[in-house]
Amino acid sequence: MGTSKVSTRVSIRDKLLIKEVQELESNLPGTCRTHFSNPNELHRLEITITPDEGYWCGGKFKFLIEVPDEYNMVPPKVKCLTRLWHPNINEEGAICLSLLRQSSIDGLGWAPTRRLKDVVWGLNSLFTDLLNFEDPLNNEAAEHYSKDKEGFKSKVREFVHLYARR
């Protein structure tokens, strides 16, 4: 009995993803590209973000997005695959972004009305207007910025050079 419920839920997820992936492809920010290693697995995709402004300009950052069976009731799981120096992404690839949280204090967490495009636009914005030094995941990077902006910028450039060159 439990198996049929899961397969029904997967079917709902996959139906949603067919529509959402088409929508995503036609509404990507110019700095983002999608890649499906297996075109039959729409629930697993890579996003590459190449910021054209800000501290990470010139870098190429890959993210893995995995959409769980329970989607759209729960958010996708997202991990940064590129090492970088960022207050909202730690060196293990975990990401602090409100809309990726099941419940969020600020009320901006995941809701069933959100879509994959919201996730991609949110990730892209972490390199510009959603960059948040006040609520960091990587406290060391945030403290570095508050104490020594030029040193922070230099370390970001070093990480881009070592790990994220285009």
Side-chain angles (χ1 to χ4, degrees):
M1 184 184 241
T3 309
S4 66
K5 189 174 185 177
V6 169
S7 64
T8 302
R9 189 66 219 168
V10 170
S11 174
I12 291 169
R13 176 198 66 186
D14 291 348
K15 284 179 183 176
L16 287 170
L17 288 177
I18 290 168
K19 186 183 233 177
E20 285 192 35
V21 166
Q22 290 173 339
E23 179 185 22
L24 174 65
E25 295 286 340
S26 63
N27 290 295
L28 272 178
T31 54
C32 296
R33 298 284 171 263
T34 58
H35 174 71
F36 293 88
S37 54
N38 180 343
N40 295 318
E41 293 183 351
L42 296 180
H43 61 278
R44 187 176 166 88
L45 68 142
E46 276 188 17
I47 299 290
T48 302
I49 300 175
T50 51
D52 57 7
E53 61 179 302
Y55 297 114
W56 296 271
C57 183
K60 182 178 183 178
F61 305 94
K62 291 185 186 271
F63 294 84
L64 176 63
I65 299 176
E66 294 182 305
V67 182
D69 294 343
E70 302 82 19
Y71 183 79
N72 63 353
M73 299 310 290
V74 300
K77 305 259 184 265
V78 183
K79 181 175 183 171
C80 184
L81 303 176
T82 308
R83 192 169 171 207
L84 75 162
W85 191 242
H86 194 292
N88 309 116
I89 303 170
N90 70 20
E91 290 189 64
E92 290 76 45
I95 299 160
C96 180
L97 183 62
S98 290
L99 69 86
L100 294 177
R101 292 187 199 137
Q102 185 69 34
S103 55
S104 174
I105 295 168
D106 60 13
L108 301 174
W110 185 258
T113 53
R114 297 222 186 250
R115 298 212 160 107
L116 273 182
K117 72 173 182 168
D118 300 320
V119 172
V120 172
W121 281 88
L123 291 171
N124 189 60
S125 295
L126 282 177
F127 294 97
T128 55
D129 55 333
L130 284 184
L131 175 61
N132 186 349
F133 292 97
E134 304 306 314
D135 181 25
L137 178 61
N138 182 341
N139 289 313
E140 192 180 345
E143 286 174 24
H144 190 190
Y145 176 82
S146 68
K147 292 178 181 171
D148 179 10
K149 288 179 181 53
E150 284 306 311
F152 172 83
K153 187 176 178 179
S154 178
K155 189 161 184 174
V156 166
R157 301 303 319 146
E158 177 187 340
F159 271 54
V160 167
H161 179 75
L162 290 172
Y163 309 111
R165 294 208 336 218
R166 290 187 190 179

